[in-house]
Amino acid sequence: MAWMSRAGMCGPAIIASVDSLLRSVRAKQKDIISCIRALVECESPSDDPAAIGKFAKLFSEMLSDIARVRMHPGKHLRCEFQLPGSRKQSQILALGHFDTVWPLGTLKTIPFRQARGRLWGPGVLDMKAGLVFFVFAMRILRELDVPVRRNVVLQVNSDEEAGSSTSRLLTEDAARQSVAVLVLEPGTGLEGKLKTARKGVGDYRITVQGRAAHAGLDFEKGANAVVEMARQIERIAAFTRLDRGITVSPGVIQGGTRSNVVPAECHVDIDVRAPRTADARYLERCFASLKPFDKRCKIEVAGALNRPPMERSEGVRRLFQTARALATELGVIVEESSSGGGSDGNFTAALGIPTLDGLGAVGEGAHAPHESILINRIADRTALLAKLVAAL
Ligand SMILES: [Zn+2]
């Protein structure tokens, strides 16, 4: 991203813009920040149903005057906005999540704060600020009476950081009704690049069954599952094809009971990532080819890609070009990027629905203690969402 000044020079300063949406967002920046603060200070780890429930209630109240909010099983929220414009056709789906990777009590060590041009705090970037941007974008469309041609639905899931197992069908159903999906995940890097491709993500679990024996009395009768797994892991790690963007990363290993027992069982959990749908078959073939070195051991394979890749389709490319043109009106140049991480946008893109991701906040440190967003990018991101909804 670069700011284009009136003289056509690039620099970090914020330009004076005549764009009325941008002006309206700037006038509300204080309110936007206090809403972000309220959401960050309401902790919402994926695995804490009570906290998730509290957050869902708080967020529902935040937009109850401009949207009809329904809570689905699993505490996923579907918010249908009431926006200007008559005879609406089809639908735009905005997609986000309100769960975070941060356990309850994180605020004691990493409190919300505003300093050095940023807002800091657990979940601020991934992705509570993005949710607030979208709500304010819709508020401003109403206030300026900008007509919108589509029905606009914001779906906010409560389990994205935990794999979206209970929200996936809901997300896919909503996407099928939509002409476009706008994903409010953070942009890439401090430039806030939009995301037009994401790798597919999956987990595999390999189990080796060996044979237990006393490590001293019956050593030869044992088939050591840990030793067998150690040899398998070298093979598994070699399934990585960096030239094709495919990565295979054994991440967790468990095996054995005590040192004087030849271990009967060992597991390894493996993270896999792949940029193309066809790569899923390559991975399946690789894992199916595993054979034991020690014939007395058995190998079990479970797993698959559970988020399909978001490929840069023609529809995705066109959606990005629309966003880029609208951003230019705001004095901002947005670029595109591809990401190794998955989001709920992977599901919608895999259905062939044009999906643009990374439209949320600009910052850094997702899932890390320095998680933060840039305050001077709040206004243009919010205005861009408003423009996109009005244009699509
Ligand atoms: Zn996220």
Side-chain angles (χ1 to χ4, degrees):
M1 194 282 307
W3 295 101
M4 295 183 297
S5 75
R6 277 178 176 162
M9 311 252 296
C10 286
I14 296 170
I15 54 159
S17 169
V18 292
D19 191 275
S20 58
L21 282 167
L22 190 57
R23 222 175 15 220
S24 299
V25 180
R26 288 212 182 108
K28 287 192 185 306
Q29 185 149 309
K30 266 205 176 123
D31 295 345
I32 294 175
I33 291 175
S34 49
C35 282
I36 294 172
R37 175 176 195 154
L39 294 191
V40 171
E41 290 187 337
C42 182
E43 294 180 300
S44 51
S46 318
D47 57 356
D48 191 317
I52 287 289
K54 236 167 94 184
F55 187 99
K57 188 161 173 283
L58 174 70
F59 186 70
S60 303
E61 283 163 8
M62 205 171 261
L63 70 170
S64 61
D65 59 324
I66 59 168
R68 197 162 60 110
V69 183
R70 252 188 293 172
M71 197 187 295
H72 286 268
K75 301 225 160 59
H76 313 299
L77 299 175
R78 178 186 163 91
C79 318
E80 295 169 15
F81 288 91
Q82 284 126 27
L83 296 171
S86 56
R87 290 200 297 160
K88 293 193 166 45
Q89 281 178 352
S90 191
Q91 175 176 294
I92 296 168
L93 176 65
L95 197 52
H97 64 89
F98 65 81
D99 60 322
T100 74
V101 297
W102 298 101
L104 273 195
T106 300
L107 283 171
K108 287 194 201 99
T109 47
I110 315 175
F112 175 90
R113 65 190 206 282
Q114 181 172 346
R116 305 202 305 276
R118 296 187 186 194
L119 305 179
W120 308 73
V124 66
L125 175 67
D126 186 12
M127 52 167 284
K128 293 179 174 179
L131 300 178
V132 174
F133 293 179
F134 194 78
V135 172
F136 273 83
M138 297 309 98
R139 245 179 226 298
I140 283 158
L141 289 177
R142 279 168 64 104
E143 285 179 19
L144 299 183
D145 203 24
V146 178
V148 175
R149 289 189 295 153
R150 314 285 185 188
N151 293 305
V152 177
V153 171
L154 167 64
Q155 186 176 314
V156 196
N157 294 331
S158 68
D159 65 347
E160 196 270 351
E161 298 289 6
S164 304
S165 58
T166 68
S167 61
R168 178 175 181 168
L169 288 180
L170 210 62
T171 301
E172 290 175 336
D173 276 352
R176 283 194 194 94
Q177 320 293 319
S178 303
V179 290
V181 180
L182 308 176
V183 186
L184 306 173
E185 292 277 0
T188 301
L190 287 174
E191 295 164 312
K193 292 180 183 173
L194 304 185
K195 293 170 179 169
T196 51
R198 280 182 180 272
K199 286 186 184 179
V201 186
D203 289 304
Y204 274 86
R205 167 166 267 218
I206 309 298
T207 304
V208 170
Q209 302 285 358
R211 196 178 296 158
H214 191 297
L217 302 178
D218 284 322
F219 179 83
E220 286 108 325
K221 289 187 184 153
N224 190 318
V226 168
V227 171
E228 175 67 26
M229 185 65 91
R231 302 173 82 181
Q232 295 295 339
I233 283 177
E234 283 277 23
R235 253 192 202 169
I236 293 164
F239 296 158
T240 293
R241 288 282 175 277
L242 281 182
D243 54 331
R244 288 161 59 188
I246 301 170
T247 58
V248 179
S249 179
V252 180
I253 183 164
Q254 286 170 307
T257 51
R258 34 181 81 242
S259 63
N260 60 1
V261 179
V262 175
E265 199 168 287
C266 189
H267 309 280
V268 63
D269 291 321
I270 301 149
D271 177 284
V272 299
R273 314 249 162 183
R276 279 166 298 272
T277 312
D279 300 331
R281 285 194 292 279
Y282 161 78
L283 289 166
E284 281 160 22
R285 274 201 312 276
C286 284
F287 281 101
S289 74
L290 292 174
K291 299 227 163 39
F293 289 90
D294 180 339
K295 299 283 180 296
R296 297 171 303 163
C297 290
K298 266 201 340 222
I299 296 176
E300 290 159 22
V301 175
L305 279 189
N306 46 37
R307 277 185 205 275
M310 168 176 160
E311 298 192 55
R312 189 181 183 278
S313 67
E314 181 56 26
V316 170
R317 199 181 60 79
R318 267 201 303 257
L319 193 52
F320 169 71
Q321 282 175 342
T322 303
R324 188 169 54 181
L326 295 170
T328 310
E329 296 173 16
L330 301 167
V332 176
I333 296 168
V334 290
E335 289 167 37
E336 63 183 312
S337 63
S338 62
S339 168
S343 85
D344 288 335
N346 290 52
F347 299 133
T348 64
L351 295 174
I353 315 298
T355 298
L356 189 57
D357 203 336
L359 284 160
V362 181
E364 63 181 338
H367 301 195
H370 63 293
E371 181 167 0
S372 54
I373 71 162
L374 303 182
I375 293 172
N376 70 357
R377 298 301 307 278
I378 290 175
D380 75 89
R381 295 303 256 209
T382 305
L384 179 58
L385 288 168
K387 276 181 178 286
L388 267 168
V389 166
L392 291 173

